[in-house]
Amino acid sequence: QKEVEQNSGPLSVPEGAIASLNCTYSDRGSQSFFWYRQYSGKSPELIMSIYSNGDKEDGRFTAQLNKASQYVSLLIRDSQPSDSATYLCAAQITPGNQFYFGTGTSLTVIP
Amino acid sequence: GAVVSQHPSWVICKSGTSVKIECRSLDFQATTMFWYRQFPKQSLMLMATSNEGSKATYEQGVEKDKFLINHASLTLSTLTVTSAHPEDSSFYICSASITDTFGSGTRLTVV
């Protein structure tokens, strides 16, 4: 079983819609969670981090964490074609240790 | 914000040769740097943690004699892929933080 799992997609949404990306993790000791955007051939860019249960909003992005269900999600509101990329979820068990990435979900926003 | 420069951005080499990848922190001193590898459609996998002035710490399954890491100064870490083989073809990414501050990545193709 992989430490962090994501649906590889592809996920397609029309421009202006909400894109919902999901991630599950296996280790209940995971404490920190991260969402990255990765364009083809480029390095990942950190979008958001979340550490506590509930929602965390930053502009058009909302991260949601449910530790009981071992589930993390990212919502992108008012999706734009420039949001088309692969979105990586990552979990960290303790600060500085054991950092795992998911395989990513490919998102396409259709104009 | 912190900037990490990685060079080269892509390289093609013949099987059996060695390739060196450089990772520089441009505006800060990095006592620790991280090296990742990403195969197509797969997760980023941490290969090793580079420590300034001391030996690198390799993740399980990563051959330290094949992937030589040198971190001789606070601004430069290098990864040398020795005796490269086609299966080493991948996207190599350095980072000055385990969670962000990634270099731009190096696409290595071994022919």
Side-chain angles (χ1 to χ4, degrees):
Chain A
Q1 181 185 8
K2 295 181 181 177
E3 297 288 344
V4 177
E5 299 211 42
Q6 296 180 255
N7 187 326
S8 62
L11 173 66
S12 294
V13 299
E15 184 174 356
I18 296 175
S20 178
L21 303 160
N22 304 314
C23 173
T24 58
Y25 59 94
S26 62
D27 194 321
R28 286 195 173 273
S30 301
Q31 298 177 351
S32 308
F33 305 88
F34 306 84
W35 280 101
Y36 299 83
R37 176 175 59 199
Q38 186 176 26
Y39 293 111
S40 181
K42 304 294 184 182
S43 291
E45 304 168 70
L46 179 64
I47 299 173
M48 292 186 69
S49 57
I50 186 166
Y51 309 99
S52 304
N53 277 328
D55 295 358
K56 179 180 178 182
E57 186 175 319
D58 183 0
R60 295 187 295 113
F61 299 96
T62 299
Q64 300 174 319
L65 173 60
N66 184 324
K67 290 187 177 181
S69 301
Q70 295 176 239
Y71 177 90
V72 187
S73 66
L74 179 70
L75 300 178
I76 306 174
R77 290 182 298 282
D78 189 23
S79 296
Q80 301 297 309
S82 58
D83 295 326
S84 299
T86 296
Y87 288 80
L88 303 172
C89 171
Q92 186 174 34
I93 296 179
T94 57
N97 299 318
Q98 300 301 312
F99 194 72
Y100 300 100
F101 282 90
T103 54
T105 298
S106 175
L107 171 66
T108 300
V109 180
I110 303 167
Chain B
V3 177
V4 173
S5 173
Q6 187 172 344
H7 178 81
S9 56
W10 61 270
V11 59
I12 302 173
C13 71
K14 291 185 177 181
S15 188
T17 61
S18 296
V19 173
K20 180 185 285 188
I21 302 169
E22 292 187 349
C23 183
R24 294 181 185 273
S25 55
L26 297 185
D27 52 0
F28 65 101
Q29 294 181 329
T31 56
T32 303
M33 285 190 170
F34 304 88
W35 287 95
Y36 291 89
R37 178 170 55 183
Q38 186 180 31
F39 292 107
K41 305 292 186 184
Q42 294 190 25
S43 303
L44 271 75
M45 296 296 294
L46 181 64
M47 299 176 65
T49 302
S50 168
N51 304 298
E52 188 269 336
S54 65
K55 292 183 178 180
T57 304
Y58 290 83
E59 296 299 306
Q60 190 173 8
V62 177
E63 300 174 59
K64 62 180 181 180
D65 294 330
K66 180 171 181 60
F67 299 99
L68 301 180
I69 291 175
N70 184 284
H71 194 155
S73 79
L74 288 170
T75 59
L76 175 64
S77 175
T78 61
L79 168 67
T80 302
V81 183
T82 63
S83 187
H85 291 281
E87 57 265 31
D88 298 323
S89 298
S90 187
F91 191 48
Y92 292 85
I93 307 170
C94 68
S95 172
S97 161
I98 199 167
T99 59
D100 60 8
T101 323
F102 292 100
S104 55
T106 298
R107 174 75 58 192
L108 170 64
T109 302
V110 184
V111 297

